[in-house]
């Protein structure tokens, strides 16, 4: 629709602002990926939940589409909408610790805000992402995998209640006990069934200190064997790992942490017992829990200093079935060059126990152990062709992951038809789309342009 034909005058009076400046629209037409750009007609800075509901209803009445945007760290236009309205959720940033020990947060608050408030009471969300500056709504709409997910599942498994504006502009509260089906579709629902405005998350006691180990391995099979030993024995409070390029080859590392209280330091020998890691190369540090949560900030500072933070980010995030993880990942790594990752790129590789994950819409291989297998890579900004080549390569790599029984974590830089991604859940998904968003108003960024 041409901007001049938009019936702005029909919009109800808002508590917040509808920004139609070139500047606001240009910002909302970009994201952390810098790979896709779709320009909205306007950006809503809501002053209330009623504003979101009113704009969603108005958009539906006039054939326009709406996408929520939290921190805009999607890498492939998922929070964008061409000629529609972007709802900036950041004004919903309240964070309140409740008497029941849960935390109530606005959808636009970041994990850094949530962690800071919880820590003041000696508490923490059970699952936090490595990067703390993502919004709650943006994370709950995709799933959320962190270093404690092997034990506590996804972020979406720690949510107990949500307030949602559906595609019809209805404001509903949902939880396991109230509007339970909506609750199950909004968590990891890719913004298709509602805009989250508020979430309640459960908390657990926060550890005071963290013994962090970075262990080196000769190969991927050795890394995976130790990761699975740690998974089986429950010895790791935090468990991740990666393959990084160095000296013309791959280096493998396991990131393990043991949480502890002051004066009750873990015995390193116990933590590392029976592991096959290259012990002389191990790095060990003992830090406060807050320092542990903020450890990723060192990496982002490095990326900011090299310019990689602001360049294109053609990332691919997937899950491999445990039974084929090493073989599939090794085949893919064999074909990846240093150029395919960029200077500080890395391939995350770590196991999760699917027993810990109960989010119905999380698409994971149907095995007890699955691996996060993520190409976190950087294309230098002046070389647009490089970024496009990496996106094409994502299709090829995803094809191999899928052929091995793997699935996509849909925060990736590639378009996969939702029908293919959802598999046997597709019929249910369509039924629910019809119910919660019959006019197809919400979040068109997951549907490739026709
Ligand atoms: C540096 C970096 C590190 C990351 N680390 C991790 C990690 O450790 N683990 C992990 O699981 N993921 C990770 N991710 C992926 C990240 O979780 C997702 O991309 C997430 O969606 C980004 O949150 P955001 O606030 O930036 O969302 P946005 O980019 O603003 O939005 C993402 C999607 O969610 C929708 N959305 C946003 N807010 C709402 C809402 N309130 N209601 C409904 N839908 C909404 C948007 O429309 C869009 O489709 C990382 C991404 C980056 C860039």
């Amino acid at each position: 629709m041409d901007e001049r034909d938009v019936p702005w005058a029909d919009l109800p009076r808002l508590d917040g602002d509808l920004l139609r400046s070139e500047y606001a629209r240009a910002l909302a037409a970009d994201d952390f990926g810098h790979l896709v750009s779709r320009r909205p007609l306007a950006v809503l800075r809501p002053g209330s939940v009623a504003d979101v509901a009113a704009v969603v209803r108005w958009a539906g009445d006039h054939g326009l589409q709406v996408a929520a945007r939290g921190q805009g760290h999607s890498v492939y236009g998922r929070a964008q909408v061409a000629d529609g309205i972007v709802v900036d959720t950041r004004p919903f940033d309240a964070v309140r610790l409740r008497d029941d020990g849960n935390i109530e947060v606005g959808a636009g608050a970041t994990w850094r805000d949530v962690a800071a408030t919880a820590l003041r009471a000696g508490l923490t969300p059970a699952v936090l992402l490595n990067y703390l500056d993502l919004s709650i709504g943006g994370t709950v709409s995709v799933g959320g995998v962190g270093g404690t997910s092997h034990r506590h599942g996804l972020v979406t498994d720690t949510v107990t209640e949500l307030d949602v504006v559906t595609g019809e502009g209805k404001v509903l509260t949902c939880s396991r006990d109230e509007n339970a089906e909506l609750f199950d579709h909004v968590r990891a629902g890719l913004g298709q069934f509602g805009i989250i405005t508020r979430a309640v998350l459960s908390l657990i006691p926060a550890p005071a200190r963290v013994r962090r180990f970075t262990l080196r391995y000769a190969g991927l099979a050795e890394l995976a064997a130790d990761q699975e030993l740690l998974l089986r024995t429950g010895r790791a409070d935090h468990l991740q790992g990666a393959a990084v390029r160095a000296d013309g080859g791959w280096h493998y590392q396991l990131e393990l942490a043991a949480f502890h209280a002051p004066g009750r330091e873990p015995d390193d020998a116990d933590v590392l017992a029976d592991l096959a890691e290259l012990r002389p190369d191990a790095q060990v540090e003992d830090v406060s829990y807050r320092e542990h949560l903020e450890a990723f900030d060192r990496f982002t500072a490095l990326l900011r200093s090299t310019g990689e933070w602001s360049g294109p980010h053609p990332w691919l995030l997937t899950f491999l079935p445990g039974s084929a993880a090493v073989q599939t990942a090794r085949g893919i790594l064999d074909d990846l060059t240093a150029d395919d990752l960029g200077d500080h790129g890395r391939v995350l590789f770590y196991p999760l126990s699917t027993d810990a994950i109960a989010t119905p819409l999380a698409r994971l291989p149907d095995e007890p152990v699955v691996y996060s297998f993520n190409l976190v890579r950087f294309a230098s900004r002046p070389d647009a062709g490089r970024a496009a080549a990496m996106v094409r390569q994502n299709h090829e790599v995803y094809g191999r992951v899928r052929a091995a029984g793997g699935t996509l974590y849909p925060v990736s830089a590639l378009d996969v038809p939702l029908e293919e991604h959802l598999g046997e859940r597709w019929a249910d998904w369509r039924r629910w789309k019809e119910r919660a968003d019959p006019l197809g108003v919400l979040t068109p960024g997951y549907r490739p342009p026709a």
Side-chain angles (χ1 to χ4, degrees):
M1 185 185 292
D2 189 279
E3 201 191 337
R4 283 164 303 196
D5 300 331
V6 177
W8 300 111
D10 288 2
L11 249 179
R13 196 183 159 80
L14 300 171
D15 298 319
D17 299 305
L18 195 73
L19 309 176
R20 289 167 54 196
S21 69
E22 287 303 317
Y23 179 68
R25 294 167 67 191
L27 280 184
D30 195 10
D31 57 31
F32 185 77
H34 308 302
L35 296 161
V36 168
S37 178
R38 300 185 191 110
R39 234 163 85 91
L41 292 168
V43 176
L44 173 68
R45 297 258 320 159
S48 61
V49 172
D51 279 0
V52 179
V55 165
V56 168
R57 280 196 298 271
W58 170 82
D61 287 347
H62 297 289
L64 299 172
Q65 292 182 309
V66 177
R69 175 183 169 109
Q71 289 294 319
H73 276 75
S74 293
V75 295
Y76 214 54
R78 307 308 182 194
Q80 297 178 18
V81 47
D83 298 329
I85 311 295
V86 167
V87 176
D88 179 351
T89 62
R90 288 174 302 175
F92 298 134
D93 62 354
V95 178
R96 184 175 74 87
L97 202 62
R98 298 200 322 192
D99 292 342
D100 62 6
N102 291 336
I103 198 161
E104 191 173 318
V105 301
T110 66
W111 292 103
R112 202 177 292 277
D113 304 330
V114 173
T117 302
L119 279 179
R120 279 198 287 277
L123 299 168
T124 179
V127 183
L128 279 164
L129 309 185
N130 292 351
Y131 180 54
L132 296 174
D133 295 319
L134 302 168
S135 77
I136 307 312
T139 313
V140 171
S141 73
V142 297
V145 190
T148 57
S149 287
H150 65 292
R151 180 174 293 163
H152 297 292
L154 306 181
V155 163
T156 38
D157 295 313
T158 70
V159 174
T160 61
E161 189 179 291
L162 294 169
D163 281 353
V164 169
V165 176
T166 68
E168 291 180 300
K170 290 185 191 152
V171 182
L172 296 173
T173 298
C174 59
S175 67
R176 280 186 186 85
D177 305 318
E178 183 180 3
N179 295 315
E181 276 195 281
L182 180 65
F183 186 62
D184 282 347
H185 284 81
V186 172
R187 290 178 300 141
L190 309 181
Q192 297 298 310
F193 308 104
I195 295 180
I196 302 161
T197 55
R198 183 192 68 107
V200 179
L201 310 166
S202 59
L203 300 175
I204 59 173
R209 306 278 313 166
V210 180
R211 182 72 51 94
R212 290 164 54 90
F213 302 85
T214 307
L215 311 175
R216 312 281 168 196
Y217 286 83
L220 194 66
E222 292 84 348
L223 169 67
D226 273 8
Q227 286 175 323
E228 292 203 26
L229 186 147
L230 290 165
L231 196 64
R232 269 196 314 279
T233 56
R235 225 189 283 162
D237 292 316
H238 169 111
L239 177 61
Q240 290 187 312
V244 291
R245 293 287 305 191
D247 313 322
W250 288 102
H251 286 208
Y252 304 95
Q253 67 190 43
L254 190 157
E255 286 133 36
L256 152 68
F259 297 164
H260 64 94
R264 302 184 61 185
E265 281 78 16
D267 183 332
D268 291 359
D270 288 346
V271 178
L272 302 181
D274 304 322
L275 297 184
E277 109 285 359
L278 305 172
R279 192 145 312 181
D281 291 342
Q283 287 170 16
V284 186
E285 56 179 347
D286 206 278
V287 298
S288 70
Y289 181 62
R290 180 186 287 273
E291 287 167 322
H292 167 70
L293 296 183
E294 292 172 350
F296 192 75
D297 294 350
R298 287 182 245 162
F299 185 48
T300 60
L302 170 70
L303 297 174
R304 284 191 171 90
S305 74
T306 61
E308 288 163 291
W309 189 252
S310 49
H313 299 113
W315 293 4
L316 176 68
L317 289 81
T318 69
F319 298 102
L320 286 169
S323 60
V326 170
Q327 194 192 0
T328 310
R330 194 158 44 202
I332 293 167
L333 293 182
D334 281 348
D335 293 341
L336 282 181
T337 65
D339 263 5
D340 291 332
L341 286 185
D343 284 350
H344 294 98
R346 50 183 42 217
V347 179
L348 302 189
F349 181 83
Y350 59 90
L352 304 169
S353 164
T354 47
D355 275 357
I357 298 171
T359 301
L361 284 180
R363 302 298 297 153
L364 299 171
D366 186 14
E367 290 199 3
V369 175
V370 300
Y371 276 75
S372 270
F373 178 66
N374 304 336
L375 310 191
V376 175
R377 52 211 193 130
F378 304 94
S380 62
R381 194 181 251 300
D383 186 356
R386 185 86 211 105
M390 286 181 176
V391 172
R392 282 196 299 278
Q393 191 182 42
N394 282 348
H395 280 275
E396 191 262 320
V397 173
Y398 169 64
R400 292 165 78 171
V401 167
R402 192 167 144 79
T407 57
L408 184 73
Y409 187 22
V411 300
S412 302
L414 85 164
D415 277 324
V416 169
L418 278 178
E419 182 172 1
E420 175 182 318
H421 173 62
L422 289 159
E424 78 277 6
R425 296 217 53 126
W426 175 238
D428 166 71
W429 177 282
R430 275 208 319 197
R431 191 170 56 82
W432 256 86
K433 186 74 177 165
E434 193 56 41
R435 219 163 132 179
D437 182 22
L439 299 174
V441 172
L442 296 176
T443 325
Y446 287 95
R447 284 162 267 157

